[in-house]
Amino acid sequence: MAQARGHGVTGLDVGYFEDCVTRPQAGGVADAQILRDIRDVAAADLEGIDAIVHLAGLSNDPMGELNPGLTYDINLESTLKLARLAKAAGVGRFVFASSCSIYGAAGGAGQLDETAPLEPVSAYAVSKARSEEGLLALADADFSPVFMRNATAYGLGSRPRFDLVVNNLAGWAFATGAVRVMSDGTPWRPLTHIEDISLAALCAAEAPRDAVHGQAFNIGRPDANYQVKDIAQAVLAGFPGARLQITGETGGDPRSYRVDFSKALNGLPGFAPQWTLERGVAEVARWLKADGLGAEAFDSRLFIRLKQLRHGMERGELNGELRRLPV
Ligand SMILES: NC(=O)c1ccc[n+]([C@@H]2O[C@H](COP(=O)([O-])OP(=O)(O)OC[C@H]3O[C@@H](n4cnc5c(N)ncnc54)[C@H](O)[C@@H]3O)[C@@H](O)[C@H]2O)c1
């Protein structure tokens, strides 16, 4: 997507999921790729860079709880280290992948806009909220952080995740013929397709400074707030014959919030989400049925981030600090 708009792209990633590629790279590969732990990022990595879209990190609550201290090192301290290096190197724009999770247990009373109080309820969400604070403190005339408070992603990249709610329910529908909701289905979850998140990141990187400097944007579409039971219904539509089971138990996940997405829609130049949940479910269902991986594969380390990290540790490829070891 970025290259199609004329940008050169350099990736930097530690490669935890490098063997999880199960689909072709939709938008092409980076022009250059640096295999590096973000904790070790150095000034030389930033030569010639105009804008950073900072995605690297432990990317959900269960991974965050693996070792909360590590979550703060990777997601918070390294974000601020990268930002300080970027600022010193004259990188003017720093787009940070934050999360709607920072609204936490803020409840279903109304839609939360970017001025709502933050109530993060996990190490992951705390790391995102504190990163925003730290980045904002670095903002000045030449350095503009922008915070993308992404809704939970659905859809497929080259390394699809099935530990995200829509994809996960679709995987179970495919494998077992049942969409199983392990709660009463009432919690609210905002959702966004991965390509719309990518578009938002690009818009935030390209926007005139005054439109985005130091700003947070909730990233989703106006109708992107769903209760889990409605997500389950949408998933069922992709798997004719599948049945719905709502267990009614008290869920282990206290998050529930509805989000107001109007600021990005009105104020992030060029941002116009293209995907609906229905279309996204159809895409995932089509791929599951066609790709030939087998019914259980979606629940394997190839698609579940935490399982892949545990696998790396069991095989001695990662140590307890998630440092890559020579093999
Ligand atoms: N997927 C979502 O629903 C969602 C929602 C809101 C925010 N986000 C944020 O967006 C970003 C990308 O999410 P994703 O779904 O693509 O996650 P992902 O797990 O697929 O990708 C994260 C990448 O970060 C890399 N990484 C992790 N630790 C690293 C380290 N120490 N050094 C270098 N690289 C490291 C991993 O190798 C991986 O390639 C994350 O910061 C995540 O918190 C995601």
Side-chain angles (χ1 to χ4, degrees):
M1 200 184 270
Q3 287 153 318
R5 289 160 79 128
H7 304 293
V9 176
T10 297
L12 185 149
D13 197 290
V14 72
Y16 290 148
F17 310 110
E18 62 187 1
D19 61 342
C20 297
V21 176
T22 50
R23 294 181 75 243
Q25 184 86 29
V29 293
D31 300 298
Q33 187 68 34
I34 301 169
L35 185 66
R36 176 144 17 264
D37 195 306
I38 194 75
R39 289 169 283 188
D40 302 329
V41 67
D45 297 326
L46 304 180
E47 275 168 25
I49 301 294
D50 301 312
I52 291 175
V53 176
H54 178 42
L55 305 164
L58 300 179
S59 56
N60 64 15
D61 289 342
M63 275 194 277
E65 298 306 327
L66 193 63
N67 178 341
L70 202 52
T71 304
Y72 297 129
D73 276 356
I74 295 175
N75 287 18
L76 171 59
E77 298 305 333
S78 299
T79 293
L80 299 183
K81 175 183 176 187
L82 175 64
R84 283 190 291 267
L85 287 171
K87 186 170 166 173
V91 179
R93 186 67 51 87
F94 191 98
V95 180
F96 175 59
S98 187
S99 168
C100 288
S101 290
I102 61 180
Y103 297 124
Q111 294 201 348
L112 304 165
D113 69 15
E114 289 80 353
T115 63
L118 306 184
E119 296 185 32
V121 292
S122 64
Y124 168 77
V126 169
S127 78
K128 295 290 184 187
R130 290 211 201 135
S131 292
E132 285 196 14
E133 264 173 43
L135 290 170
L136 198 55
L138 292 171
D140 68 10
D142 300 313
F143 183 71
S144 296
V146 188
F147 313 122
M148 298 200 326
R149 294 183 181 166
N150 298 317
T152 297
Y154 61 90
L156 304 170
S158 58
R159 298 179 181 85
R161 292 179 57 183
F162 277 84
D163 50 9
L164 300 166
V165 60
V166 174
N167 293 7
N168 187 261
L169 292 177
W172 285 112
F174 173 64
T176 68
V179 175
R180 195 144 186 251
V181 175
M182 308 288 284
S183 71
D184 64 0
T186 57
W188 289 92
R189 287 282 185 290
L191 304 172
T192 312
H193 193 276
I194 181 57
E195 284 182 12
D196 287 335
I197 293 178
S198 306
L199 175 63
L202 207 45
C203 293
E206 292 175 339
R209 176 186 182 278
D210 289 350
V212 296
H213 176 80
Q215 297 286 316
F217 294 95
N218 296 331
I219 300 301
R221 42 185 296 139
D223 57 355
N225 292 293
Y226 295 88
Q227 285 184 291
V228 174
K229 60 187 179 191
D230 297 327
I231 300 173
Q233 289 292 354
V235 169
L236 276 181
F239 298 88
R243 62 190 190 287
L244 177 62
Q245 291 177 332
I246 295 192
T247 62
E249 64 202 65
T250 306
D253 185 344
R255 289 176 303 160
S256 182
Y257 43 84
R258 274 184 289 171
V259 173
D260 180 340
F261 293 103
S262 51
K263 181 178 174 185
L265 296 168
N266 299 323
L268 185 56
F271 178 57
Q274 301 294 308
W275 285 78
T276 60
L277 179 56
E278 291 66 29
R279 187 175 154 218
V281 166
E283 176 200 39
V284 174
R286 208 166 36 244
W287 184 67
L288 282 169
K289 291 169 192 171
D291 96 310
L293 272 175
E296 302 302 327
F298 84 92
D299 195 33
S300 74
R301 69 176 176 86
L302 284 180
F303 302 104
I304 307 290
R305 292 293 184 251
L306 184 58
K307 287 187 181 179
Q308 171 73 356
L309 294 184
R310 288 197 198 285
H311 174 79
M313 287 192 274
E314 280 158 19
R315 286 172 56 97
E317 293 164 1
L318 297 174
N319 70 13
E321 302 290 300
L322 296 180
R323 290 281 181 184
R324 287 188 70 152
L325 301 172
V327 282

